[in-house]
Amino acid sequence: MYCKLISFATVDIFCFGFLSVMKKNTSISNLHCKFAEKSWNHTFQLVRRYMEKSRDESKPCEPLVRSLERLQEELQAPTMNNMKCRLEMIAKQQGMGFHFTESTCYLTADFFYLEVLLLPSGEVQEVKVALQGEHPAPSRSLLHLLRSNNFSDFSMRLGELFAQYNIPGDNKTKSKMLKSLQCLWKDLQQISDMPNEPKCFEAQMGLINNGRVGFLMAEKQDYPPSLYFYSSPNDCLKNSELSFEELQEFKPAVQAARATIGVSDLTRKLQMTSLISEAPQLDTQSCPAVAAFSEVSNEMLPTCFLLRLKTPIPVLFHIVERVGQITGVTIPDCDLQWAPLPKLLMKASASAKSPSEPLDGQEIFTVVFPEGGMHTYVLPDSSWDIPTQRATLLASVPFTQPAHVSAVLELLRHQCAFNTLLRSCLTQSASPASVCDLHFEVRPEYTTSISVTFRQPHIDRLAVLLVNIPNARQITCQLFGGGLYDLSTAILDEYISIVLTRCMSIPVAVRALYIRLEKTTSCPITAVAENDRLSPVMDTDGQSPAASQSTAMPEHDGVPGSVCGAVSVSKSELHPEMSASMPDDLHPFVPVAPMANCQS
């Protein structure tokens, strides 16, 4: 009886499913019959009509938008109606208005609009952009995007323009905010036009990394003014001079920001005229002197300026604090999500798409060199998951006057340099070419320094390279280790500092250092040289230095206490192959002693 009931139920389910499929096929057939004689224009009008009936009036219905996009992609031949329909959809997606005459489409916002002139065939003849109160000016870049049917990039560029001029408030407040923003742009241009010292900074890439406001891309109707403020040395060498359009697409290698305006809970005093005189005077920091608000026209407005970063930057907690101290405007903590710096860099890095190999709460990153050879790098979670290494993705910086911009950009450059060095260790190779026998452990020391621990060539002892990054343009290195003799400490430190400053890659610099050490430590050690610097006996309690950075470590004979702690690690904390090679009676670590012929 039970089996019969199951059989009847199975038959019922099968019949129900069959009838459902038949009913669905019948419905589709009916739709085919209904619209078989309808034109494509009628279908477009039907979809657009339903788009206007979206539940959320501020945004079209996404499924309908995708349907219309799919229909338009299938029709390759341009027609006047197709292009109008496509432009109308893009305008609505960006929250802009749209209307058209016989051969011209207008995409409108409060403070700017686009004119798109069409030929009878539907091809785009010209694109013009006009800001409020100004005459329309042709835009070659937007014209190129539409003529090449690159509607996604056109929509993105239009969204950037809309975000730049999407000023909140009533019409009177909006006009005041826009005037204040334009005065800020004028001041930033004035700062950018001032002569820089030294003169070598006049080159484009030199200005990006050293200019007071970076490399300022002046305002154009189709491009908001942009500040390009950081690029790694490798990118500078490859791209010494870029055109305007090339620099816009040169990402993520070049960090850029835009000065715009945003909503604030508090009313703030903002400029209504330029704060920098026509013949600006320099202050003690070689920055232009800015007039006090009491000396110029100003307004109390419910807003503040924003330095909006084109790509959010992972920034340490102490940098966020210093930015707030400079600007006097606190970045709301509710907008920030904190995590260890390496975690944020891994998420932001394209190379992190390849999964790394987990190892007891930490990850191993494999770096493969083009000319052959491999390194593995370990960043222990326990060392980086501490308060001083908390970081957040910073998307924008609020400020109130142009004098803040130079100081903020300098802090961001410092963080970018630190991120560049650390990111160089996070590259993951999906298919290693061979088994790697060189392993390195990277730990944080102070907020501006990191240590790289590795096994010395030819002997079973560890060495530590301390990397200090006091600012974006200065990197100094110090090598510490036991059993390294007849090496000139000062010359070797200077050599590796120059290499790292030029390449901004820890794996490349460490490889150069390792080759030097292989040449100088190939002979067995028999005695300690008389000119060796003394260092404290290494601790053997296995305490991780990063886990107790809040406790001050003493300095011994010029050796930072953090380095003494950095090398005092137990075998269990190191990579297994590094741990296996360590002797039981660990030799006290001493800094590198003099080495001859190091400059070759």
Side-chain angles (χ1 to χ4, degrees):
M1 183 67 181
Y2 179 72
C3 294
K4 289 183 178 180
L5 287 174
I6 294 178
S7 299
F8 288 139
T10 304
V11 171
D12 289 343
I13 292 172
F14 174 79
C15 293
F16 177 77
F18 179 76
L19 291 174
S20 298
V21 171
M22 290 295 294
K23 185 176 181 181
K24 182 178 180 180
N25 290 337
T26 303
S27 300
I28 293 175
S29 299
N30 291 337
L31 285 173
H32 284 165
C33 295
K34 181 177 180 180
F35 290 96
E37 298 179 359
K38 302 291 183 180
S39 66
W40 279 111
N41 285 336
H42 180 274
T43 304
F44 285 143
Q45 293 296 329
L46 181 65
V47 174
R48 287 169 59 190
R49 194 179 309 129
Y50 279 100
M51 282 176 63
E52 294 172 356
K53 295 180 180 181
S54 173
R55 294 178 182 178
D56 183 1
E57 296 182 359
S58 64
K59 189 176 182 181
C61 179
E62 289 299 325
L64 291 174
V65 169
R66 290 195 298 269
S67 298
L68 188 56
E69 286 178 342
R70 183 69 182 273
L71 287 171
Q72 289 166 337
E73 287 170 0
E74 293 299 324
L75 292 179
Q76 298 295 330
T79 66
M80 181 81 76
N81 286 336
N82 289 348
M83 183 58 70
K84 287 180 180 179
C85 186
R86 195 67 181 256
L87 292 173
E88 180 182 8
M89 182 185 65
I90 291 173
K92 290 188 175 183
Q93 282 178 317
Q94 300 300 338
M96 299 176 64
F98 179 85
H99 64 275
F100 60 90
T101 60
E102 184 176 350
S103 60
T104 305
C105 298
Y106 297 90
L107 291 76
T108 60
D110 289 338
F111 291 105
F112 78 98
Y113 66 92
L114 265 69
E115 290 183 11
V116 182
L117 281 69
L118 302 178
L119 296 173
S121 62
E123 295 181 350
V124 180
Q125 179 182 7
E126 190 175 20
V127 178
K128 296 181 179 180
V129 182
L131 302 182
Q132 186 185 51
E134 299 182 9
H135 294 291
S139 171
R140 290 187 302 171
S141 58
L142 294 178
L143 175 63
H144 173 72
L145 292 176
L146 287 180
R147 282 184 172 177
S148 58
N149 292 327
N150 192 348
F151 295 105
S152 59
D153 283 359
F154 175 82
S155 178
M156 182 184 69
R157 287 280 310 284
L158 189 63
E160 291 175 352
L161 275 173
F162 182 75
Q164 179 75 14
Y165 299 106
N166 186 26
I167 299 175
D170 54 47
N171 290 337
K172 185 178 180 180
T173 303
K174 286 181 179 181
S175 298
K176 290 181 179 180
M177 290 181 179
L178 180 61
K179 182 180 178 181
S180 181
L181 183 60
Q182 290 172 334
C183 292
L184 171 72
W185 291 341
K186 181 181 177 182
D187 283 343
L188 293 177
Q189 185 66 60
Q190 192 107 325
I191 297 173
S192 177
D193 292 340
M194 293 178 64
N196 290 276
E197 295 292 343
K199 293 297 182 182
C200 62
F201 292 169
E202 298 298 335
Q204 185 184 94
M205 285 297 173
L207 282 172
I208 288 177
N209 286 327
N210 302 284
R212 293 184 181 90
V213 290
F215 180 75
L216 176 62
M217 194 69 75
E219 178 187 8
K220 295 186 177 183
Q221 277 85 347
D222 55 341
Y223 277 106
S226 300
L227 305 171
Y228 296 85
F229 61 89
Y230 180 79
S231 177
S232 68
N234 284 336
D235 297 319
C236 290
L237 294 174
K238 297 174 185 176
N239 303 274
S240 57
E241 294 295 331
L242 295 173
S243 67
F244 181 82
E245 287 76 13
E246 289 171 334
L247 193 57
Q248 290 289 331
E249 302 303 323
F250 190 45
K251 54 186 181 181
V254 176
Q255 292 290 345
R258 288 178 179 148
T260 182
I261 205 160
V263 183
S264 174
D265 295 333
L266 304 174
T267 56
R268 303 182 188 277
K269 191 177 290 187
L270 296 184
Q271 65 190 86
M272 300 304 291
T273 186
S274 178
L275 296 180
I276 300 177
S277 61
E278 294 295 332
Q281 302 294 320
L282 295 181
D283 58 17
T284 55
Q285 313 251 321
S286 297
C287 291
V290 177
F293 278 118
S294 58
E295 300 174 2
V296 298
S297 174
N298 63 81
E299 287 276 355
M300 294 294 293
L301 297 171
T303 186
C304 62
F305 298 130
L306 283 179
L307 199 62
R308 197 183 301 278
L309 301 174
K310 195 169 185 180
T311 303
I313 299 175
V315 176
L316 289 170
F317 176 73
H318 80 278
I319 295 288
V320 175
E321 278 193 323
R322 289 180 63 187
V323 166
Q325 292 168 2
I326 290 171
T327 62
V329 183
T330 303
I331 300 175
D333 194 66
C334 60
D335 297 338
L336 307 176
Q337 295 184 354
W338 301 95
L341 180 59
K343 297 293 185 184
L344 293 180
L345 292 175
M346 283 187 284
K347 289 180 180 179
S349 175
S351 62
K353 291 179 181 178
S354 299
S356 57
E357 180 183 347
L359 175 67
D360 298 332
Q362 55 196 22
E363 292 177 293
I364 304 175
F365 298 92
T366 305
V367 178
V368 180
F369 297 100
E371 59 274 20
M374 289 173 52
H375 288 179
T376 58
Y377 288 83
V378 176
L379 284 75
D381 287 351
S382 59
S383 297
W384 291 94
D385 194 4
I386 57 176
T388 55
Q389 293 301 319
R390 286 197 311 151
T392 186
L393 282 176
L394 191 64
S396 61
V397 177
F399 65 102
T400 56
Q401 58 169 296
H404 296 155
V405 175
S406 297
V408 169
L409 290 184
E410 195 59 29
L411 285 176
L412 294 179
R413 283 171 177 151
H414 190 183
Q415 183 68 63
C416 287
F418 193 91
N419 292 351
T420 300
L421 289 175
L422 195 58
R423 191 182 286 115
S424 68
C425 303
L426 304 180
T427 304
Q428 176 65 30
S429 174
S431 56
S434 60
V435 177
C436 178
D437 58 353
L438 294 180
H439 308 283
F440 303 85
E441 186 174 74
V442 181
R443 293 172 177 262
E445 294 303 324
Y446 308 111
T447 53
T448 58
S449 63
I450 56 179
S451 63
V452 183
T453 306
F454 59 97
R455 189 183 67 179
Q456 298 178 36
H458 308 301
I459 57 176
D460 286 333
R461 288 170 184 162
L462 298 179
V464 175
L465 180 68
L466 179 67
V467 181
N468 297 294
I469 310 103
N471 58 60
R473 285 169 289 279
Q474 183 182 3
I475 297 175
T476 59
C477 299
Q478 290 178 284
L479 182 64
F480 299 87
L484 298 174
Y485 310 109
D486 297 328
L487 304 176
S488 174
T489 305
I491 295 177
L492 188 56
D493 289 349
E494 182 181 2
Y495 165 74
I496 198 64
S497 299
I498 292 173
V499 171
L500 189 55
T501 301
R502 288 180 177 176
C503 68
M504 292 298 289
S505 170
I506 288 177
V508 172
V510 170
R511 181 180 59 170
L513 172 62
Y514 200 86
I515 292 173
R516 280 292 175 95
L517 294 179
E518 281 185 319
K519 295 177 180 178
T520 55
T521 61
S522 57
C523 298
I525 305 302
T526 57
V528 178
E530 292 182 359
N531 57 359
D532 281 346
R533 286 184 295 177
L534 297 178
S535 72
V537 177
M538 188 182 71
D539 298 330
T540 56
D541 59 358
Q543 176 66 28
S544 169
S548 59
Q549 282 188 355
S550 58
T551 304
M553 292 185 179
E555 297 191 2
H556 300 266
D557 297 328
V559 182
S562 58
V563 174
C564 304
V567 297
S568 61
V569 292
S570 64
K571 292 184 182 182
S572 60
E573 289 185 279
L574 296 173
H575 188 281
E577 297 197 29
M578 290 177 67
S579 179
S581 65
M582 290 175 57
D584 294 331
D585 53 338
L586 294 174
H587 188 281
F589 275 67
V590 293
V592 180
M595 179 183 76
N597 302 324
C598 217
Q599 293 178 328
S600 58

